[in-house]
Amino acid sequence: MSVATRHYRIGQIVPSSNTTMETEIPAVLRAREAVAPERFTFHSSRMRMKHVTKEELSAMDADSDRCALELSDARVDVLGYACLVAIMSMGKGYHRISEQRLHACTVANGAPAPVVTSAGALVEGLQALGAKKISILTPYMKPLTKLVIDYIEHEGIEVVDSISLEIADNLEVGRQDPRAPIEISRKLKTSGVDAVVASACVQMPSLASIQPIEDRIGLPVLSSSVATVYQMLKRLGLDTQVPGYGALLAARGAGGPSST
């Protein structure tokens, strides 16, 4: 007697101008469907944001509760907050506050769902790799990159080197070539680091670059979207192995029980 395939609903809270997370998260999970039995559907709610400035990010974050409520109406199984710098701009450690608050919104709506923020996922992904020193690539203006560096370092991970592409228009960030980080990352310092973040931004496409960079430098390479998938699978209690997207998703590993 065959066992019914388990389907999971993946919810995402995305900035209104984000065009990447609704392609990269499904792409990784579709790749997982080729090697594992679970199946996924994808559902989004949007927060208004056009330019990656601290003011717009703060105003956008205030709208995330509404999005969590809407997605819980769809009874999603896990909810991802898909804007790393919005969380980091709200203060060190804010991902924990956001995850707890958004989870509480789903509970109050009678549809409790674990919550992952891309900011928390990146930090936790680096910790899962045992990374103490890293180099990062971002599309941000330098002051926002500094904010991201300070946030990561507050979590006990040293940022040895960084490159800022200084693109303020969020739509323009999403138009970047997903293979561009392969060449750009050649300018990053990699000696003495434990891992490289090929895109510390959920809007800058990078999936096609993760494995090629890792193969070249011989170090773990990840991105915000790869880390977000890893944490989503863990929250769902599922195996986290997805081939072709770097060391974080390379090893077989059962996720823990769904929790926040």
Side-chain angles (χ1 to χ4, degrees):
M1 181 177 178
S2 62
V3 178
T5 300
R6 179 72 191 274
H7 288 77
Y8 293 89
R9 293 175 180 152
I10 306 297
Q12 291 198 78
I13 298 174
V14 296
S16 57
S17 53
N18 187 290
T19 55
T20 302
M21 282 299 265
E22 289 157 307
T23 57
E24 289 200 338
I25 297 295
V28 178
L29 289 175
R30 292 294 182 232
R32 188 186 182 279
E33 288 179 344
V35 297
E38 294 82 16
R39 296 295 178 261
F40 304 92
T41 60
F42 304 94
H43 315 274
S44 300
S45 182
R46 311 184 89 74
M47 310 169 286
R48 194 79 193 277
M49 189 270 279
K50 294 173 69 177
H51 299 96
V52 190
T53 63
K54 195 173 188 306
E55 294 73 24
E56 282 203 36
L57 292 170
S58 179
M60 181 190 75
D61 181 68
D63 209 20
S64 61
D65 289 25
R66 171 189 59 80
C67 295
L69 192 64
E70 290 180 359
L71 288 166
S72 66
D73 283 345
R75 299 302 191 263
V76 296
D77 293 294
V78 66
L79 196 157
Y81 186 125
C83 189
L84 176 138
V85 75
I87 292 291
M88 292 189 175
S89 70
M90 297 295 288
K92 296 180 178 70
Y94 181 73
H95 66 275
R96 298 178 182 89
I97 297 170
S98 174
E99 288 170 8
Q100 291 171 3
R101 192 186 72 243
L102 296 177
H103 176 64
C105 289
T106 70
V107 171
N109 197 34
V115 176
V116 172
T117 62
S118 53
L122 182 61
V123 168
E124 291 160 15
L126 288 166
Q127 291 170 342
L129 290 168
K132 300 295 185 183
K133 296 183 177 183
I134 65 170
S135 291
I136 68 172
L137 172 60
T138 88
Y140 308 129
M141 307 302 287
K142 287 182 179 178
L144 277 182
T145 297
K146 178 63 165 56
L147 182 153
V148 170
I149 290 171
D150 289 347
Y151 194 100
I152 292 172
E153 292 194 331
H154 179 72
E155 298 291 333
I157 301 165
E158 180 185 350
V159 180
V160 173
D161 194 21
S162 66
I163 293 175
S164 304
L165 299 184
E166 299 196 90
I167 307 170
D169 186 322
N170 204 40
L171 277 176
E172 185 60 28
V173 172
R175 294 188 186 106
Q176 300 304 297
D177 183 346
R179 294 185 62 82
I182 296 174
E183 291 304 314
I184 297 171
S185 64
R186 291 181 183 275
K187 301 174 185 177
L188 276 174
K189 178 181 178 182
T190 57
S191 61
V193 305
D194 304 308
V196 168
V197 179
S199 176
C201 172
V202 295
Q203 172 72 332
M204 188 171 83
S206 65
L207 276 188
S209 297
I210 303 296
Q211 198 66 54
I213 298 173
E214 185 166 296
D215 292 343
R216 185 184 80 235
I217 67 176
L219 294 169
V221 176
L222 71 163
S223 68
S224 297
S225 60
V226 163
T228 299
V229 170
Y230 177 78
Q231 287 300 326
M232 284 179 166
L233 290 170
K234 282 192 68 178
R235 295 292 200 276
L236 292 171
L238 298 176
D239 174 58
T240 58
Q241 186 181 43
V242 187
Y245 294 105
L248 186 62
L249 295 175
R252 295 193 67 84
S258 297
S259 65
T260 55

